[in-house]
Amino acid sequence: MKLKHHFCVAPMLEWTDRHERYLLRLISKHALLYTEMVTTGALIHGDIDRHLRFNAEEHPVALQLGGSDPRDMALCAKIAEDYGYDEVNINVGCPSDRVQHGAFGACLMAQAELVAENIAAMKKSVAIPVTVKNRIAIDEMPEYETLHNFLQRVSQAGCHTFIIHARKAWLKGLSPKQNRDVPPLNYELVYQMKREFPQLEIIINGGIKTLEECQQHLKQVDGVMMGREVYHNPFVMSHVDKLLYGDKEITQVSEIEVLEKYIEYMQSQLDQGVFLKHMSRHLLGLFAGKPGAKAWRRHISENAYKSGAGIEVIQQAVKYIDNK
Ligand SMILES: Cc1cc2nc3c(=O)[nH]c(=O)nc-3n(C[C@H](O)[C@H](O)[C@H](O)COP(=O)(O)O)c2cc1C
């Protein structure tokens, strides 16, 4: 199956876990969903199933890997493929200290050669697509030259798809959170890369908040990736299938229909011993902007963590929403 990257949901640590992805899939059939980053160390030395298990309904779903040792990355890509993931993606964007210490994430923007070696090794070990999510540069490095050189070298090794978070990362002085807001966005440079490498699939990421903005970007590049806005307001993607994938057959779902299906899912997970709070936290933004949304959020936040909490917490919370 050829994966379609028109609309992707960003990998977000602690946020895009399997429960969140299940919820998002109820809203869009076609969006390509990314997991949280999983490090090669966690997979090779840790509990593989805990890190990799996902629901069959989540397809198409991509695993994001953090690492830079070609042998480890090739091994982990194979594990991901055997697990049923549709794509593996390399993290070349995460600026956190812990990650810098392990020599992967955004610091790899200065090591295009090493990323190329990883791509070559991974492509040898799997048949699913191997993609990269990167920044435009780091620290004092010049934006155009760094990004151009990176795309050229890494694509020569066989990478066809690049997701570009359209800002630099400052590895010294800014926190990971500041690194998602402070360095200015440079969408124009990403557009320019698509013009200079027309054969590559270029996905743009960073600061995108509406489907109208997505449509504007899609005039210049092949796909868009949204992160925080989708998490805080998942219904922003309710028209993705129709507007961005051209699926005319799609029947539009409402927030309440999505909630009913997610309740069924939560019940089956509760029966398997999963705590309500791990699933209900993803629901806080479901009614974003609707009257009663604040009381809905408050009720869930104040009650879902209690021991023995079940579906009744959600059923009570939804009573606060007017105009369901
Ligand atoms: C809570 C959180 C966790 C994140 N974790 C990851 C991650 O694991 N891997 C990654 O490549 N990017 C990560 N990011 C960055 C996002 O994937 C994305 O590039 C960034 O938020 C910009 O897109 P946005 O403005 O649409 O949110 C994370 C962002 C947030 C807010």
Side-chain angles (χ1 to χ4, degrees):
M1 178 188 64
K2 170 113 173 61
L3 285 178
K4 296 201 183 99
H5 290 87
H6 301 23
F7 184 89
C8 308
V9 177
M12 291 182 282
L13 267 178
E14 312 269 311
W15 288 9
T16 48
D17 61 16
R18 65 194 165 96
H19 308 307
E20 165 73 359
R21 298 190 307 261
Y22 190 96
L23 175 68
L24 297 178
R25 183 59 72 219
L26 295 172
I27 304 174
S28 164
K29 206 170 98 185
H30 298 292
L32 179 50
L33 306 177
Y34 284 73
T35 66
E36 307 166 89
M37 175 183 72
V38 180
T39 63
T40 50
L43 276 190
I44 293 171
H45 307 293
D47 177 345
I48 293 185
D49 196 56
R50 187 168 78 79
H51 292 295
L52 294 194
R53 82 188 133 141
F54 65 94
N55 307 284
E57 292 83 352
E58 288 172 38
H59 287 294
V61 60
L63 177 74
Q64 188 187 56
L65 281 176
S68 62
D69 178 86
R71 277 222 318 253
D72 289 353
M73 290 291 270
L75 172 64
C76 290
K78 182 77 181 96
I79 297 173
E81 183 177 62
D82 291 346
Y83 242 82
Y85 282 95
D86 299 297
E87 169 183 322
V88 270
N89 174 265
I90 310 181
N91 183 332
V92 187
C94 183
S96 86
D97 291 344
R98 197 168 54 86
V99 165
Q100 273 183 66
H101 190 69
F104 56 86
C107 62
L108 294 175
M109 283 308 294
Q111 290 177 273
E113 193 54 44
L114 178 58
V115 179
E117 281 172 37
N118 276 275
I119 288 286
M122 292 162 83
K123 287 205 55 117
K124 249 193 216 162
S125 84
V126 295
I128 53 175
V130 181
T131 65
V132 169
K133 176 168 180 280
N134 58 281
R135 296 280 182 139
I136 57 184
I138 45 170
D139 298 331
E140 308 292 348
M141 293 177 84
E143 296 191 343
Y144 173 84
E145 290 80 358
T146 306
L147 186 57
H148 189 277
N149 173 59
F150 184 85
L151 295 185
Q152 188 153 47
R153 187 63 202 94
V154 178
S155 64
Q156 278 164 0
C159 182
H160 174 68
T161 303
F162 293 85
I163 302 161
I164 306 177
H165 184 174
R167 52 164 62 93
K168 272 188 169 184
W170 285 97
L171 300 186
K172 289 183 192 73
L174 292 186
S175 69
K177 188 166 186 296
Q178 288 172 319
N179 257 310
R180 296 196 278 266
D181 285 315
V182 176
L185 286 161
N186 188 350
Y187 293 143
E188 189 46 51
L189 181 61
V190 179
Y191 299 161
Q192 187 180 351
M193 291 300 131
K194 176 63 198 177
R195 292 194 294 270
E196 293 187 15
F197 298 94
Q199 74 285 8
L200 298 182
E201 189 174 36
I202 303 287
I203 321 299
I204 197 164
N205 167 245
I208 303 169
K209 287 197 153 68
T210 65
L211 289 199
E212 291 71 33
E213 287 170 43
C214 293
Q215 287 173 312
Q216 289 306 314
H217 288 301
L218 286 169
K219 291 181 185 161
Q220 309 273 352
V221 290
D222 304 293
V224 288
M225 172 176 272
M226 272 170 83
R228 288 165 289 185
E229 186 62 25
V230 166
Y231 191 77
H232 295 306
N233 175 20
F235 249 71
V236 71
M237 51 189 266
S238 65
H239 294 288
V240 156
D241 292 348
K242 197 163 77 192
L243 293 183
L244 305 190
Y245 286 88
D247 187 341
K248 299 198 176 65
E249 315 279 281
I250 219 82
T251 38
Q252 212 54 52
V253 285
S254 65
E255 288 90 337
I256 207 74
E257 286 164 336
V258 165
L259 181 62
E260 279 162 10
K261 290 194 181 134
Y262 193 63
I263 284 177
E264 280 174 31
Y265 168 77
M266 287 193 292
Q267 188 57 63
S268 73
Q269 296 288 311
L270 284 166
D271 295 344
Q272 294 169 46
V274 176
F275 292 121
L276 183 73
K277 62 182 178 186
H278 293 147
M279 302 175 282
S280 62
R281 66 196 193 98
H282 301 310
L283 284 171
L284 299 182
L286 185 63
F287 295 101
K290 286 207 153 187
K294 204 166 158 198
W296 151 265
R297 285 197 300 273
R298 191 183 326 114
H299 188 85
I300 295 178
S301 303
E302 287 174 359
N303 295 288
Y305 72 88
K306 291 180 182 163
S307 109
I311 296 300
E312 70 289 345
V313 173
I314 310 299
Q315 281 158 344
Q316 189 58 38
V318 79
K319 292 192 181 146
Y320 291 107
I321 303 291
D322 310 332
N323 312 322
K324 292 192 246 321

XYZ file of all heavy atoms in Angstrom, residues 29-111:
631
model
N -10.240 8.783 8.832
C -9.877 7.443 8.357
C -8.507 7.454 7.676
O -7.806 6.464 7.655
C -10.947 7.030 7.338
C -11.156 5.566 7.164
C -12.395 5.315 6.311
C -11.980 5.058 4.869
N -13.099 4.924 3.945
N -8.148 8.580 7.084
C -6.963 8.599 6.222
C -5.700 9.214 6.826
O -4.608 8.954 6.322
C -7.277 9.371 4.932
C -8.355 8.743 4.113
N -8.187 7.534 3.472
C -9.619 9.138 3.835
C -9.307 7.221 2.825
N -10.187 8.181 3.035
N -5.851 10.079 7.832
C -4.665 10.755 8.384
C -3.601 9.719 8.742
O -3.916 8.638 9.236
C -5.049 11.540 9.634
N -2.341 10.061 8.490
C -1.255 9.164 8.857
C -0.806 9.527 10.276
O -0.462 10.683 10.547
C -0.112 9.331 7.844
C 1.149 8.508 8.019
C 0.857 7.028 8.218
C 2.049 8.686 6.799
N -0.846 8.543 11.160
C -0.576 8.805 12.584
C 0.828 8.341 12.961
O 1.263 7.266 12.531
C -1.605 8.065 13.451
C -3.079 8.338 13.121
C -3.992 7.488 14.018
C -3.401 9.822 13.294
N 1.503 9.139 13.757
C 2.853 8.796 14.219
C 2.832 8.484 15.709
O 2.121 9.130 16.480
C 3.834 9.956 13.936
C 4.201 10.017 12.468
C 3.283 10.464 11.530
C 5.432 9.566 12.015
C 3.590 10.474 10.175
C 5.755 9.579 10.666
C 4.830 10.032 9.755
O 5.130 10.027 8.416
N 3.646 7.523 16.098
C 3.742 7.175 17.519
C 4.591 8.216 18.243
O 5.225 9.061 17.621
C 4.473 5.828 17.707
O 5.841 5.987 17.294
C 3.801 4.711 16.930
N 4.662 8.105 19.534
C 5.680 8.828 20.294
C 7.043 8.291 19.846
O 7.126 7.168 19.339
C 5.548 8.526 21.790
C 4.176 8.759 22.366
C 4.044 8.131 23.744
O 4.363 8.808 24.719
O 3.598 6.961 23.846
N 8.094 9.061 20.085
C 9.430 8.537 19.772
C 9.767 7.382 20.722
O 9.536 7.467 21.926
C 10.489 9.623 19.946
C 11.890 9.077 19.758
S 13.169 10.307 20.044
C 13.092 10.499 21.804
N 10.303 6.311 20.156
C 10.805 5.198 20.969
C 12.290 5.077 20.662
O 12.683 5.074 19.485
C 10.084 3.875 20.597
C 10.613 2.733 21.455
C 8.570 4.004 20.752
N 13.124 5.019 21.684
C 14.571 4.942 21.412
C 14.980 3.494 21.117
O 14.329 2.543 21.581
C 15.403 5.448 22.612
O 15.147 4.589 23.726
C 15.055 6.885 22.956
N 16.071 3.374 20.384
C 16.563 2.019 20.085
C 16.921 1.305 21.387
O 16.675 0.109 21.524
C 17.804 2.066 19.169
O 18.748 2.982 19.719
C 17.436 2.492 17.765
N 17.465 2.069 22.355
C 17.828 1.452 23.639
C 16.612 0.842 24.316
O 16.669 -0.274 24.837
N 15.501 1.575 24.279
C 14.288 1.079 24.932
C 13.792 -0.200 24.261
O 13.297 -1.114 24.919
C 13.198 2.159 24.901
N 13.948 -0.270 22.956
C 13.451 -1.466 22.249
C 14.386 -2.649 22.424
O 13.946 -3.783 22.610
C 13.316 -1.184 20.751
C 12.036 -0.504 20.289
C 11.959 -0.530 18.780
C 10.816 -1.182 20.893
N 15.697 -2.357 22.372
C 16.653 -3.462 22.406
C 16.789 -4.024 23.831
O 16.902 -5.218 24.025
C 18.014 -3.019 21.811
C 17.822 -2.743 20.311
C 19.101 -4.078 22.027
C 18.997 -2.085 19.613
N 16.717 -3.117 24.819
C 16.910 -3.597 26.202
C 15.619 -3.650 27.004
O 15.611 -4.124 28.129
C 17.927 -2.703 26.941
C 19.206 -2.551 26.201
N 20.065 -3.603 26.006
C 19.780 -1.495 25.570
C 21.114 -3.194 25.291
N 20.953 -1.915 25.007
N 14.529 -3.122 26.456
C 13.318 -3.008 27.273
C 12.205 -3.959 26.827
O 12.440 -4.937 26.113
N 11.004 -3.614 27.241
C 9.835 -4.447 26.974
C 9.250 -4.026 25.623
O 8.553 -3.012 25.513
C 8.837 -4.217 28.120
C 7.539 -4.978 27.920
O 7.276 -5.453 26.801
O 6.777 -5.073 28.901
N 9.545 -4.806 24.599
C 9.164 -4.433 23.229
C 7.649 -4.231 23.134
O 7.169 -3.247 22.568
C 9.601 -5.518 22.222
C 11.118 -5.565 22.153
C 9.019 -5.242 20.839
C 11.657 -6.509 21.109
N 6.911 -5.151 23.706
C 5.460 -5.077 23.548
C 4.887 -3.815 24.188
O 3.999 -3.177 23.652
C 4.811 -6.337 24.142
C 3.386 -6.475 23.656
O 3.186 -6.494 22.414
O 2.463 -6.515 24.500
N 5.436 -3.437 25.319
C 4.943 -2.221 25.979
C 5.157 -0.999 25.080
O 4.313 -0.119 24.988
C 5.666 -2.010 27.321
C 5.093 -0.872 28.139
C 5.640 -0.907 29.555
N 6.993 -0.375 29.645
C 7.283 0.923 29.670
N 6.318 1.813 29.609
N 8.537 1.335 29.755
N 6.272 -0.963 24.376
C 6.570 0.189 23.525
C 5.861 0.132 22.174
O 5.575 1.166 21.581
C 8.076 0.310 23.274
C 8.843 0.671 24.501
N 8.686 1.883 25.138
C 9.760 -0.021 25.218
C 9.482 1.920 26.194
N 10.131 0.780 26.277
N 5.623 -1.059 21.671
C 5.171 -1.143 20.269
C 3.717 -1.537 20.062
O 3.176 -1.349 18.972
C 6.052 -2.128 19.484
C 7.501 -1.726 19.282
C 8.126 -2.625 18.218
C 7.660 -0.274 18.886
N 3.064 -2.076 21.089
C 1.735 -2.598 20.774
C 0.790 -1.469 20.354
O 0.881 -0.344 20.868
C 1.172 -3.399 21.942
C 0.544 -2.591 23.028
C 0.213 -3.483 24.167
N 0.703 -2.808 25.352
C 0.058 -2.802 26.502
N -1.036 -3.499 26.670
N 0.536 -2.126 27.515
N -0.058 -1.784 19.408
C -1.042 -0.798 18.958
C -2.294 -1.528 18.517
O -2.299 -2.756 18.382
C -0.458 0.101 17.847
C -0.115 -0.601 16.563
C -1.023 -0.661 15.513
C 1.126 -1.201 16.385
C -0.705 -1.306 14.317
C 1.464 -1.840 15.192
C 0.537 -1.886 14.161
N -3.370 -0.772 18.320
C -4.650 -1.375 17.925
C -4.707 -1.475 16.406
O -4.303 -0.542 15.703
C -5.806 -0.486 18.380
C -5.723 -0.155 19.858
O -6.025 -0.978 20.701
N -5.286 1.057 20.178
N -5.266 -2.564 15.913
C -5.343 -2.760 14.459
C -6.034 -1.585 13.777
O -5.702 -1.221 12.646
C -6.091 -4.059 14.162
N -6.964 -0.950 14.484
C -7.729 0.166 13.895
C -6.849 1.379 13.578
O -7.263 2.275 12.856
C -8.837 0.634 14.862
C -9.959 -0.351 15.080
C -9.626 -1.410 16.133
O -8.462 -1.488 16.596
O -10.541 -2.186 16.472
N -5.647 1.422 14.176
C -4.830 2.636 14.022
C -4.217 2.823 12.638
O -3.775 3.908 12.304
C -3.688 2.631 15.041
C -4.130 2.874 16.449
C -2.973 2.663 17.417
O -1.835 3.030 17.099
O -3.220 2.088 18.493
N -4.145 1.783 11.836
C -3.508 1.920 10.514
C -4.134 3.049 9.716
O -5.335 3.237 9.800
C -3.666 0.618 9.718
C -2.808 -0.496 10.217
N -1.430 -0.484 10.167
C -3.147 -1.681 10.795
C -0.956 -1.612 10.686
N -1.980 -2.349 11.084
N -3.367 3.776 8.892
C -1.927 3.702 8.742
C -1.193 4.387 9.897
O -1.525 5.507 10.274
C -1.667 4.424 7.418
C -2.816 5.358 7.258
C -3.981 4.708 7.937
N -0.187 3.681 10.425
C 0.527 4.199 11.592
C 2.033 3.998 11.423
O 2.482 2.954 10.946
C -0.015 3.560 12.899
C 0.142 2.050 12.898
C 0.640 4.152 14.139
N 2.790 5.044 11.775
C 4.246 5.025 11.610
C 4.907 5.040 12.977
O 4.457 5.753 13.875
C 4.695 6.256 10.825
N 5.973 4.271 13.115
C 6.741 4.285 14.361
C 7.897 5.263 14.231
O 8.659 5.197 13.270
C 7.316 2.898 14.661
C 8.200 2.851 15.914
C 7.366 2.932 17.194
C 9.073 1.604 15.950
N 8.017 6.174 15.197
C 9.190 7.043 15.176
C 10.284 6.493 16.085
O 10.041 6.198 17.263
C 8.880 8.471 15.618
C 10.124 9.335 15.354
C 10.040 10.737 15.886
O 9.802 10.926 17.067
N 10.242 11.713 15.022
N 11.475 6.360 15.532
C 12.613 5.834 16.284
C 13.600 6.939 16.620
O 13.840 7.843 15.806
C 13.357 4.800 15.440
C 12.769 3.399 15.337
C 13.619 2.559 14.382
C 12.692 2.733 16.716
N 14.188 6.860 17.806
C 15.280 7.749 18.182
C 16.545 6.918 18.316
O 16.560 5.943 19.073
N 17.554 7.275 17.569
C 18.805 6.528 17.644
C 19.711 6.970 16.523
O 19.300 7.761 15.664
N 20.955 6.492 16.530
C 21.840 6.859 15.422
C 22.880 5.790 15.117
O 23.769 6.010 14.308
C 22.539 8.191 15.705
O 23.356 8.074 16.854
N 22.760 4.645 15.759
C 23.677 3.563 15.428
C 23.043 2.730 14.309
O 21.964 2.155 14.502
C 23.917 2.683 16.665
C 24.820 1.519 16.329
O 26.042 1.699 16.392
O 24.301 0.437 15.954
N 23.681 2.679 13.128
C 23.032 2.032 11.992
C 22.592 0.595 12.256
O 21.508 0.192 11.823
C 24.083 2.098 10.878
C 24.958 3.263 11.249
C 24.967 3.307 12.739
N 23.405 -0.150 13.006
C 23.012 -1.555 13.248
C 21.782 -1.634 14.134
O 20.852 -2.399 13.889
C 24.181 -2.321 13.890
C 25.182 -2.817 12.893
C 25.668 -4.235 13.197
N 25.923 -4.472 14.609
C 27.150 -4.578 15.147
N 28.213 -4.478 14.402
N 27.293 -4.823 16.432
N 21.781 -0.811 15.201
C 20.618 -0.795 16.110
C 19.368 -0.301 15.380
O 18.277 -0.839 15.558
C 20.881 0.143 17.297
C 21.907 -0.425 18.259
O 22.302 -1.593 18.070
O 22.315 0.311 19.180
N 19.549 0.723 14.570
C 18.384 1.290 13.868
C 17.824 0.284 12.864
O 16.605 0.170 12.696
C 18.768 2.601 13.169
C 19.030 3.744 14.137
S 17.539 4.330 14.973
C 17.005 5.606 13.828
N 18.709 -0.460 12.201
C 18.242 -1.463 11.235
C 17.478 -2.572 11.960
O 16.421 -3.027 11.513
C 19.423 -2.042 10.465
N 18.019 -2.959 13.116
C 17.358 -4.010 13.898
C 15.973 -3.538 14.366
O 14.975 -4.254 14.246
C 18.252 -4.372 15.104
C 17.655 -5.302 16.148
C 17.383 -6.673 15.524
C 18.622 -5.467 17.348
N 15.919 -2.307 14.872
C 14.644 -1.797 15.394
C 13.637 -1.569 14.259
O 12.430 -1.771 14.442
C 14.868 -0.512 16.183
S 15.719 -0.842 17.735
N 14.120 -1.167 13.109
C 13.210 -1.007 11.967
C 12.578 -2.349 11.624
O 11.378 -2.443 11.336
C 13.975 -0.443 10.770
N 13.381 -3.396 11.685
C 12.870 -4.736 11.367
C 11.831 -5.165 12.413
O 10.787 -5.730 12.076
C 14.056 -5.725 11.340
C 13.680 -7.126 10.972
C 13.446 -7.239 9.466
C 13.036 -8.627 9.026
N 11.602 -8.802 8.899
N 12.129 -4.883 13.659
C 11.169 -5.231 14.729
C 9.851 -4.495 14.453
O 8.764 -5.065 14.561
C 11.724 -4.850 16.123
C 12.986 -5.649 16.442
C 10.664 -5.061 17.204
C 13.710 -5.213 17.741
N 9.966 -3.219 14.068
C 8.755 -2.418 13.792
C 7.976 -2.997 12.613
O 6.746 -3.104 12.650
C 9.150 -0.973 13.495
N 8.692 -3.372 11.590
C 8.015 -3.950 10.419
C 7.306 -5.250 10.802
O 6.146 -5.467 10.450
C 9.028 -4.218 9.304
C 8.369 -4.748 8.034
C 9.375 -4.938 6.913
O 10.305 -5.750 7.065
O 9.234 -4.273 5.882
N 7.993 -6.089 11.559
C 7.376 -7.355 11.976
C 6.153 -7.108 12.857
O 5.227 -7.905 12.877
C 8.391 -8.222 12.737
C 9.484 -8.744 11.819
O 9.305 -8.671 10.586
O 10.531 -9.197 12.335
N 6.171 -6.009 13.593
C 5.029 -5.673 14.446
C 3.845 -5.160 13.654
O 2.748 -5.020 14.178
C 5.451 -4.610 15.473
C 5.318 -5.113 16.880
C 6.309 -5.907 17.450
C 4.189 -4.813 17.639
C 6.179 -6.389 18.729
C 4.051 -5.295 18.925
C 5.044 -6.087 19.464
O 4.901 -6.572 20.731
N 4.080 -4.815 12.405
C 2.968 -4.369 11.556
C 2.912 -2.884 11.286
O 1.951 -2.391 10.691
N 3.943 -2.131 11.704
C 3.934 -0.694 11.400
C 4.046 -0.464 9.897
O 4.637 -1.261 9.176
C 5.088 0.023 12.144
C 4.734 0.244 13.597
C 5.126 -0.657 14.572
C 3.958 1.334 13.975
C 4.773 -0.479 15.907
C 3.598 1.524 15.307
C 4.008 0.619 16.267
O 3.646 0.804 17.570
N 3.453 0.631 9.448
C 3.410 0.930 8.010
C 4.620 1.730 7.551
O 4.852 1.873 6.350
C 2.138 1.729 7.694
C 0.890 0.940 8.051
O 0.679 -0.125 7.451
O 0.151 1.359 8.970
N 5.369 2.307 8.500
C 6.518 3.162 8.157
C 7.389 3.270 9.400
O 6.882 3.170 10.517
C 5.985 4.559 7.772
C 7.027 5.643 7.638
C 6.400 7.031 7.330
O 5.421 7.114 6.564
O 6.903 8.019 7.883
N 8.687 3.482 9.217
C 9.525 3.899 10.352
C 10.114 5.256 10.026
O 10.493 5.529 8.883
C 10.706 2.967 10.712
C 10.329 1.915 11.700
C 11.389 2.422 9.511
N 10.191 6.090 11.047
C 10.637 7.465 10.875
C 11.779 7.721 11.858
O 11.734 7.281 13.003
C 9.439 8.397 11.175
C 9.827 9.854 11.172
O 10.116 10.435 12.213
N 9.844 10.453 10.000
N 12.804 8.434 11.379
C 13.943 8.748 12.250
C 13.776 10.152 12.826
O 13.521 11.105 12.089
C 15.284 8.716 11.480
C 15.423 7.424 10.677
C 16.457 8.885 12.432
C 16.748 7.333 9.906
N 13.963 10.278 14.126
C 13.857 11.581 14.792
C 15.162 12.361 14.640
O 16.184 11.995 15.212
C 13.545 11.351 16.278
C 13.355 12.659 17.031
O 13.919 13.684 16.673
N 12.562 12.615 18.085
N 15.090 13.441 13.844
C 16.245 14.341 13.716
C 15.766 15.749 14.103
O 16.079 16.737 13.463
C 16.842 14.305 12.283
C 18.138 15.119 12.212
C 17.133 12.870 11.835
N 14.935 15.792 15.151
C 14.383 17.096 15.495
C 14.282 17.380 16.967
O 14.109 18.512 17.380
N 14.418 16.334 17.772
C 14.174 16.506 19.198
C 15.398 17.106 19.870
O 16.499 16.568 19.769
C 13.837 15.150 19.814
S 13.447 15.300 21.532
N 15.245 18.243 20.548
C 16.405 18.948 21.090
C 16.719 18.654 22.553
O 17.573 19.315 23.120
C 15.975 20.412 20.952
C 14.494 20.372 21.150
C 14.014 19.017 20.721
N 16.063 17.690 23.186
C 16.229 17.598 24.641
C 17.630 17.110 25.025
O 18.301 16.426 24.255
C 15.167 16.691 25.258
O 15.595 15.368 25.199
N 18.072 17.448 26.235
C 19.420 17.104 26.700
C 19.664 15.613 26.679
O 20.690 15.137 26.256
C 19.600 17.538 28.164
C 19.628 19.030 28.279
O 19.810 19.681 27.243
O 19.463 19.534 29.406
N 18.654 14.900 27.172
C 18.780 13.451 27.280
C 19.079 12.874 25.896
O 19.909 12.002 25.728
C 17.458 12.901 27.810
C 17.508 11.509 28.352
C 16.214 11.207 29.107
N 15.033 11.456 28.284
C 14.507 10.593 27.449
N 15.054 9.414 27.301
N 13.425 10.895 26.754
N 18.405 13.430 24.924
C 18.567 12.931 23.578
C 19.934 13.330 23.014
O 20.622 12.532 22.412
C 17.403 13.416 22.695
C 17.718 13.240 21.242
C 16.137 12.649 23.053
N 20.360 14.579 23.285
C 21.681 15.004 22.798
C 22.767 14.095 23.345
O 23.713 13.754 22.664
C 21.987 16.422 23.283
C 21.456 17.491 22.377
C 21.879 18.847 22.914
O 23.049 19.187 22.939
N 20.918 19.608 23.373
N 22.592 13.698 24.596
C 23.582 12.845 25.214
C 23.725 11.529 24.451
O 24.807 11.007 24.251
C 23.185 12.578 26.673
C 24.273 11.916 27.431
N 25.430 12.569 27.741
C 24.401 10.651 27.900
C 26.231 11.736 28.390
N 25.624 10.564 28.497
N 22.614 10.990 24.009
C 22.645 9.735 23.254
C 23.029 9.946 21.798
O 22.945 9.030 21.005
N 23.416 11.192 21.407
C 23.825 11.513 20.036
C 22.761 11.184 19.005
O 23.024 10.539 18.004
C 25.146 10.836 19.687
N 21.553 11.599 19.273
C 20.537 11.533 18.220
C 19.531 12.646 18.435
O 19.676 13.454 19.360
C 19.877 10.158 18.138
C 19.253 9.669 19.408
C 17.954 10.021 19.743
C 19.952 8.845 20.266
C 17.372 9.557 20.912
C 19.380 8.385 21.438
C 18.093 8.743 21.761
N 18.520 12.707 17.573
C 17.617 13.852 17.623
C 18.192 14.979 16.778
O 18.924 14.747 15.805
N 17.905 16.231 17.189
C 18.235 17.385 16.342
C 19.730 17.542 16.066
O 20.119 18.057 15.017
C 17.707 18.664 16.987
N 20.579 17.055 17.005
C 22.020 17.235 16.766
C 22.463 16.530 15.486
O 23.494 16.864 14.908
C 22.827 16.776 17.977
S 22.633 15.051 18.353
N 21.681 15.570 15.008
C 22.037 14.878 13.763
C 21.911 15.770 12.528
O 22.364 15.393 11.445
C 21.158 13.628 13.580
C 21.367 12.506 14.600
C 20.346 11.395 14.359
C 22.778 11.948 14.514
N 21.320 16.962 12.698
C 21.298 17.894 11.559
C 22.719 18.252 11.135
O 22.957 18.640 10.004
C 20.539 19.192 11.905
C 19.039 19.100 11.902
S 18.308 18.400 10.417
C 18.685 19.608 9.151
N 23.673 18.113 12.079
C 25.073 18.403 11.749
C 25.812 17.147 11.301
O 27.017 17.170 11.082
C 25.773 19.014 12.968
N 25.088 16.033 11.176
C 25.738 14.766 10.808
C 24.961 14.060 9.705
O 24.500 12.918 9.874
C 25.842 13.866 12.038
C 26.862 14.397 13.052
C 26.883 13.523 14.280
O 26.118 13.721 15.212
N 27.749 12.526 14.281
